[in-house]
Amino acid sequence: MDLTSVREVVDGRSFLPWRPGDAWLAGGTALFAEPGPHLRRLRDLCTWGWQPLTVTEEGVEVAATCTIAELLSFAEAPDGPWPTGRALVARCCRAFSSSFKVWNTATVGGNLCTALPAGPMISLAVALRGTCRVRGLDGRERTVPAAEFVTGAGVTVLRPGELLRAVELPAAAWRGPARCAG
């Protein structure tokens, strides 16, 4: 899909004010999958250079720009920590009914922010009791439990100009059984 109404792509770190027609761009698989005649400017999140995954004793931070392929590679690493949680992660990554080409482009954050009813990264973040780190254009951050991030089909708690920075998945959730929200 060509987004013929887009007039510019800017560095996501710019301090340009948010305006109607702006959208965040990471992998873009969802963004380019549908017509977007209202879009005028894309703000490229990949310019931030975030580490895809950061593993600590407290858990795993998954950057919004982490691709599904990167997350799957981590989950399938033979010597990685927390085998129970990694098996769940691998199943959620494989739940995408798409090709490896999409897996190498689609991002964890994009799947959450698109808020499709069958979003496997939404299910993963909720099952592993994740917390979403949301950042505003002014640099301020707030956290939202993953179970509260998506509020409806195609709807999230993001305010205009806010972006999903990362999903933090606590170590305790990786070790134990996943829980279902509801």
Side-chain angles (χ1 to χ4, degrees):
M1 174 68 58
D2 290 329
L3 296 177
T4 58
S5 61
V6 172
R7 298 293 171 240
E8 62 182 324
V9 178
V10 298
D11 187 317
R13 299 168 294 179
S14 71
F15 292 103
L16 296 169
W18 190 263
R19 63 184 187 206
D22 279 5
W24 293 109
L25 169 67
T29 56
L31 191 62
F32 287 97
E34 298 287 331
H38 65 287
L39 296 175
R40 300 289 179 263
R41 178 170 62 185
L42 301 178
R43 301 169 83 110
D44 188 359
L45 288 174
C46 294
T47 59
W48 286 92
W50 296 324
Q51 277 295 114
L53 295 143
T54 305
V55 181
T56 66
E57 290 182 17
E58 288 80 37
V60 179
E61 178 186 271
V62 182
T65 53
C66 177
T67 67
I68 303 308
E70 290 168 326
L71 184 59
L72 181 60
S73 178
F74 169 75
E76 293 181 334
D79 58 348
W82 313 308
T84 303
R86 289 184 315 118
L88 174 66
V89 171
R91 284 193 302 273
C92 287
C93 288
R94 293 196 180 285
F96 278 90
S97 56
S98 56
S99 74
F100 72 92
K101 292 176 185 177
V102 172
W103 288 1
N104 283 300
T105 306
T107 62
V108 172
N111 190 252
L112 280 151
C113 293
T114 304
L116 296 175
M121 296 298 105
I122 300 166
S123 300
L124 172 68
V126 172
L128 290 179
R129 293 175 241 142
T131 302
C132 298
R133 280 186 30 222
V134 174
R135 177 180 286 171
L137 286 173
D138 60 4
R140 292 187 199 158
E141 290 190 356
R142 64 187 176 104
T143 59
V144 178
E148 298 172 16
F149 185 77
V150 174
T151 59
V155 183
T156 69
V157 298
L158 291 173
R159 299 173 189 138
E162 284 187 325
L163 61 93
L164 175 62
R165 164 59 187 91
V167 179
E168 296 169 352
L169 305 169
W174 286 80
R175 290 185 194 105
R179 70 164 175 85
C180 295

